[in-house]
Amino acid sequence: MAASGVKRRPPRPAPPSSGGMVKKLMLALAVFLPVLLYQQLHPLPPKICGSPGGPPVTATRTRLQDGRHLAYLESGVPKDKAKYKIIFVHGFDSCRYDALPISPELAQDLGIYQLSFDRPGYCESDPNPDHKEKSIALDIEELADNLQLGPKFYLIGFSMGGEIMWSCLKHIPHRLSGVAILGPVGNYWWSGLPSNVSQHAWNQQLPQDKWAVWVSHHLPWLTYWWNTQKLFPASSVIAYNPALLSEEDKLLMTKFAFRPYMVTNTGSLSH
């Protein structure tokens, strides 16, 4: 039979399989989502003072055995004439300049030498990537030895610096002449407190602070994310929420909240 003059159309190519595209998309998500999650859960690497791209070193610092540096500030009478050698440990959102404001007259009368320092990772002190519960106590002991404070010294811990006093009492008790804590942060899960006392103190907090403390205690790996996220109310301490202050404290804030060291001659902020 003779072929007709009608040309047959070539068969249409099969549409590309959607399975391959889905696999590529799943692979991309498997790579992208963990990276995004890691960035949300972990802070950026710190910029070390004095390193390329890092802030300049302006403080007096001492070098520790592991190569890290601690920035410090001395006040009061010379340590070789002091009756009381005190190391002050600052709290959250503070630094070496936030030590007790002891007047020169009082320091002279009582023979007080005060040494304050930037805790590791604060201001001009290097962070400690191998930080453990006892690390800060050993740092304080080495700081005291580097500055030749002698076999014993006093400690004062303010706010979150108060928790460090427990580490020092546990790990370097032989170096301590005495310890004081000022307005310390409490441990609501400490078994040494009666449950009704812990419960009463817990209920004194604002709701957002209860959540922040609960997360840091039960889910510490979420702490950075919780303190930087915008979905829920932030810690009132981080947010500088005046609602956490008593009426008496609010009256004193204008006197104590201003930090002269943060304002330079040009009006800019400085550490």
Side-chain angles (χ1 to χ4, degrees), residues 151-250:
K152 289 196 173 186
F153 48 85
Y154 293 88
L155 280 179
I156 296 178
F158 172 69
S159 189
M160 288 192 72
E163 66 175 356
I164 292 174
M165 301 301 99
W166 298 108
S167 176
C168 294
L169 286 167
K170 179 179 180 181
H171 297 290
I172 57 169
H174 57 288
R175 302 299 303 273
L176 307 178
S177 297
V179 173
I181 51 178
L182 303 177
V185 174
N187 180 0
Y188 302 99
W189 293 271
W190 184 40
S191 59
L193 287 176
S195 59
N196 62 323
V197 173
S198 297
Q199 188 66 31
H200 176 74
W202 175 264
N203 289 329
Q204 299 303 305
Q205 301 178 101
L206 297 175
Q208 59 262 45
D209 293 333
K210 291 182 181 180
W211 276 108
V213 174
W214 189 93
V215 168
S216 66
H217 179 76
H218 293 287
L219 304 171
W221 53 276
L222 270 182
T223 300
Y224 173 75
W225 174 82
W226 185 269
N227 289 331
T228 55
Q229 53 80 31
K230 306 299 182 183
L231 300 175
F232 307 102
S235 162
S236 60
V237 177
I238 296 176
Y240 296 98
N241 188 343
L244 67 90
L245 301 173
S246 67
E247 295 302 321
E248 293 80 6
D249 287 340
K250 291 177 182 177

Side-chain angles (χ1 to χ4, degrees), residues 1 72 81 113 116-117 180 185 189 214 222 246 262 264 270:
M1 181 176 180
Y72 66 89
K81 298 180 180 179
Y113 162 87
S116 59
F117 68 102
V185 174
W189 293 271
W214 189 93
L222 270 182
S246 67
M262 296 185 69
T264 66
S270 172

